Amino acid sequence: MAAITSAVIAIAGVVLGWIAIEIACKPCLEKGREAIDRSLNPDYDPDDEIRAPLNADPVEGEPNSKAAGDSATSSDATKTV
């Protein structure tokens, strides 16, 4: 009877440990599982992801874009404190 009790306690400890790890590492485990699912998906093609062009022309009205008449110099990029 002592062997069965020890086995049940050991299994319960393993289960509780597994649950604790799942709860503590949930964000990391979810990202890893998503990556595994994506890599095992035969329909997934990483080249299909939409990416912005590296040298996109600035669009007027965006916060980081300069107007056509503005001239950007290297001194504009530095900020004196």
Side-chain angles (χ1 to χ4, degrees):
M1 189 68 178
I4 293 174
T5 305
S6 295
V8 169
I9 291 172
I11 290 172
V14 168
V15 169
L16 289 175
W18 184 273
I19 291 171
I21 290 172
E22 287 282 333
I23 291 171
C25 301
K26 186 175 183 177
C28 181
L29 291 172
E30 285 179 351
K31 287 180 185 177
R33 288 179 181 141
E34 288 174 5
I36 290 171
D37 290 342
R38 192 172 51 238
S39 69
L40 294 176
N41 183 1
D43 296 330
Y44 174 72
D45 185 10
D47 294 331
D48 289 342
E49 292 180 5
I50 299 173
R51 296 184 183 157
L54 294 176
N55 56 355
D57 294 329
V59 177
E60 219 172 294
E62 287 188 5
N64 292 336
S65 65
K66 296 265 185 194
D70 292 346
S71 63
T73 61
S74 62
S75 63
D76 292 340
T78 59
K79 180 179 177 182
T80 57
V81 179

